Amino acid sequence: MKKTRRNIFVLVLTVTLPAGGAGAMSDLETVTYADFSRINHIASSMTHVYFATTEGIIRYNKSEGRWEEPLTGAEGIDNRDLRRIWVDMFDEKLYVQTSTGSFEYDLLFERWFPLDEIPPLQTNSVHIRPPEVMHPPAGFNYASEGVLIDRHGRDFYFSDILDDRSGNLWIGTWGYGALTASSSSSFIELLPFGLLQNRVDAIFSDEGVLWLGGSSLGGFRSGITAFDPYDRTFSFIESGVGEGLPEADISCFEADDEYIYVGTHRGLFLLDRDTRQVQRSITGASGLADDQVLSLAVTGDSVFVGTVSGMNIITVGGDSVRYVRPRQFSNVAVYDFATTDTSIWIASSAGAYQLLLASGRLQRFRDPHSIIFSRVYSAERYEQYLWLASDGGMVRLDLETSRTTPFVATMGGVDFRPMAVAGEVAAITSSRGVTLFFLDDERQAREREFSVDDGLPSHNIRALLLDDDYLWIGSDRGLTRFLWNDPGRID
């Protein structure tokens, strides 16, 4: 629900800024993780370091050695317009400067309020010039003018260095995120946090870790981000560097006990689960229906691969790859799959189909509500229900009784439409953001549309994933964690 806006007189708070605990997510309504690698300015209190980046404020708990949640869900400022940042010694006052003026963070209302000027603050920190000598991590080099050179020969300039006068240097780079170093030994440590790239077209949950990818859009760094939301740790598989994953637009993921499967516009890549190195690539030259992979599913020893021009069923084993290419899907875009114990459902540009695994029989789904009839973009199985999404909305099929339930939510003019379902809620993209259907009433589901007015960073939603109380939303502005079951939103 949108928060009521009102005029607030100056309120003095004597409590510290919110700090999410390690191993748990807080109850903030909306938090967005993005590419925080470009840092403009740094501030430090006794216990925390704040980095003003081109995508919002991130904060590091230096007393506990861990990242906390970014301050990207608060209203009142443009997260892409942060120039400078200040904090007092005890985290009681936080200020930023943007191109439109100065602002103070209000803990009570979780938003920023404008200020005429930044008041004096008590702090021990001081900004310094790059030291002549620093010791980078293994594989990296350092240039005396404040440049970190990575193992691929790319230069990343230091944008700010803060000495907190307690033995630590906190370093912001332009393109490689945050660093730290001892002010006495000058050994540099990397502090990775955020996404490799802002656009998120694919979200895949694998044993609690979120695998994220999207269109590279020619960015300086691109590839796959692996994000553990409970520990708030990030690791990366960069594309276009070395001999691993080439620079490619990533559209989907799947996994089995041996591989992480990555679907791209340049084919299918198989990553070893342990080393995260590319073990094999499968393209049109080796039998794939098309290089542009749109969807993946694993069932038994078979991998179903949907492309813009058809579908393959691949058996991967040893050094051989066996292909089966159903002729019924020739020149048909296959957008998504959903599996059951006995069949696999196929969402395609020609409608929705059920493939019976034992017999190989293929039959088309006939929707009595006429919502599912031509292009079907998404398919998802939850308990005994199968959900299908199209331009007209969603249909829920009870696999035990064959009863169908329509959920009308029209949207046109796109060639994708992600959805996510759980026991109490179903989500589907809309022209303004996301529409949620609350399923507590079997006779009439309540619905509510959420947009940038409700904290979403963008209306251009590319991927959805439900995880208990949270809806993960991938957009062109990053990955947003949305608390969908907040009583204010449901009621």
Side-chain angles (χ1 to χ4, degrees):
M1 177 178 292
K2 283 187 272 188
K3 297 180 181 177
T4 303
R5 291 167 171 79
R6 64 191 74 175
N7 294 324
I8 304 294
F9 293 102
V10 175
L11 179 64
V12 178
L13 298 176
T14 58
V15 289
T16 57
L17 294 166
M25 292 184 284
S26 78
D27 290 331
L28 293 174
E29 290 183 349
T30 307
V31 175
T32 295
Y33 296 86
D35 175 5
F36 300 123
S37 65
R38 294 170 177 82
I39 297 172
N40 285 317
H41 202 241
I42 307 172
S44 175
S45 68
M46 292 182 64
T47 58
H48 290 77
V49 186
Y50 297 80
F51 299 85
T53 81
T54 56
E55 296 295 333
I57 298 170
I58 58 177
R59 53 186 174 171
Y60 186 78
N61 189 322
K62 59 183 179 180
S63 62
E64 298 181 8
R66 60 177 177 84
W67 286 100
E68 294 180 354
E69 287 190 334
L71 294 177
T72 53
E75 299 179 358
I77 62 172
D78 181 356
N79 285 314
R80 290 187 165 185
D81 186 29
L82 300 176
R83 306 298 177 85
R84 301 184 71 187
I85 187 168
W86 299 267
V87 67
D88 73 338
M89 291 181 61
F90 304 103
D91 296 282
E92 293 175 349
K93 296 290 183 179
L94 182 66
Y95 305 98
V96 296
Q97 184 182 70
T98 73
S99 63
T100 60
S102 302
F103 296 82
E104 178 181 5
Y105 184 71
D106 190 306
L107 172 65
L108 182 61
F109 296 98
E110 293 182 358
R111 65 164 296 154
W112 296 88
F113 289 96
L115 286 177
D116 291 334
E117 61 181 15
I118 304 296
L121 287 176
Q122 182 183 4
T123 178
N124 289 331
S125 302
V126 60
H127 297 268
I128 65 172
R129 296 182 61 82
E132 286 294 319
V133 177
M134 298 197 80
H135 306 287
F140 289 75
N141 290 298
Y142 174 75
S144 60
E145 61 271 23
V147 180
L148 183 70
I149 305 169
D150 75 352
R151 54 179 54 91
H152 305 293
R154 299 174 298 183
D155 295 346
F156 298 91
Y157 292 86
F158 289 4
S159 52
D160 193 18
I161 305 178
L162 189 73
D163 187 341
D164 66 6
R165 300 292 181 85
S166 63
N168 301 304
L169 300 180
W170 303 97
I171 305 167
T173 71
W174 197 253
Y176 217 87
L179 315 173
T180 187
S182 167
S183 57
S184 57
S185 66
S186 297
F187 281 95
I188 296 174
E189 177 187 351
L190 306 178
L191 297 176
F193 187 78
L195 313 184
L196 268 181
Q197 57 201 37
N198 279 330
R199 181 155 154 171
V200 177
D201 294 332
I203 310 171
F204 178 71
S205 180
D206 179 51
E207 298 179 352
V209 175
L210 299 182
W211 288 73
L212 311 167
S215 297
S216 63
L217 301 178
F220 197 48
R221 298 176 72 199
S222 63
I224 299 170
T225 299
F227 170 40
D228 187 328
Y230 291 93
D231 293 337
R232 282 188 286 278
T233 56
F234 292 82
S235 58
F236 311 114
I237 303 173
E238 285 200 59
S239 61
V241 293
E243 299 180 355
L245 188 69
E247 184 175 351
D249 297 340
I250 296 169
S251 56
C252 53
F253 297 98
E254 253 294 354
D256 58 22
D257 293 338
E258 188 174 359
Y259 297 111
I260 299 289
Y261 299 89
V262 184
T264 78
H265 82 293
R266 300 181 64 174
L268 175 64
F269 294 86
L270 283 62
L271 275 58
D272 182 272
R273 289 191 69 95
D274 297 325
T275 66
R276 295 187 175 180
Q277 298 295 313
V278 174
Q279 297 296 305
R280 179 178 293 168
S281 63
I282 301 173
T283 66
S286 53
L288 208 60
D290 194 280
D291 283 348
Q292 189 169 346
V293 177
L294 302 178
S295 55
L296 294 166
V298 174
T299 176
D301 61 354
S302 298
V303 181
F304 287 76
V305 183
T307 77
V308 295
S309 301
M311 183 180 82
N312 292 83
I313 306 172
I314 301 172
T315 302
V316 180
D319 295 326
S320 62
V321 177
R322 184 176 67 88
Y323 300 89
V324 176
R325 182 175 177 176
R327 288 174 296 176
Q328 295 91 332
F329 291 99
S330 179
N331 297 319
V332 171
V334 177
Y335 298 115
D336 201 8
F337 298 104
T339 60
T340 71
D341 294 337
T342 59
S343 64
I344 186 163
W345 287 81
I346 303 163
S348 77
S349 59
Y353 293 82
Q354 181 187 26
L355 177 64
L356 300 176
L357 297 176
S359 64
R361 179 186 175 190
L362 186 70
Q363 54 189 21
R364 183 170 183 174
F365 172 69
R366 304 292 181 181
D367 174 23
H369 313 285
S370 297
I371 292 178
I372 306 297
F373 57 92
S374 58
R375 295 185 301 180
V376 182
Y377 301 111
S378 300
E380 187 165 345
R381 161 85 177 287
Y382 186 84
E383 296 179 345
Q384 81 269 27
Y385 297 108
L386 175 80
W387 291 75
L388 300 167
S390 72
D391 294 304
M394 299 178 292
V395 169
R396 182 179 65 187
L397 170 65
D398 190 322
L399 296 172
E400 296 178 355
T401 65
S402 297
R403 177 188 173 188
T404 57
T405 305
F407 298 85
V408 178
T410 58
M411 179 183 178
V414 295
D415 57 359
F416 66 96
R417 197 174 191 191
M419 70 172 176
V421 298
E424 301 174 77
V425 66
I428 189 169
T429 54
S430 69
S431 59
R432 298 181 66 244
V434 179
T435 298
L436 267 61
F437 290 87
F438 301 101
L439 308 176
D440 52 346
D441 188 340
E442 180 68 21
R443 295 168 298 176
Q444 182 65 49
R446 292 172 295 132
E447 65 181 276
R448 169 86 190 276
E449 185 180 46
F450 297 93
S451 67
V452 293
D453 294 330
D454 302 285
L456 301 186
S458 171
H459 69 274
N460 185 10
I461 308 302
R462 316 289 303 184
L464 298 173
L465 177 71
L466 274 165
D467 178 18
D468 295 329
D469 295 336
Y470 297 103
L471 174 66
W472 293 101
I473 302 172
S475 73
D476 59 341
R477 291 283 302 275
L479 176 73
T480 300
R481 197 197 70 218
F482 192 72
L483 182 64
W484 68 263
N485 74 344
D486 173 44
R489 288 176 169 163
I490 296 176
D491 299 335

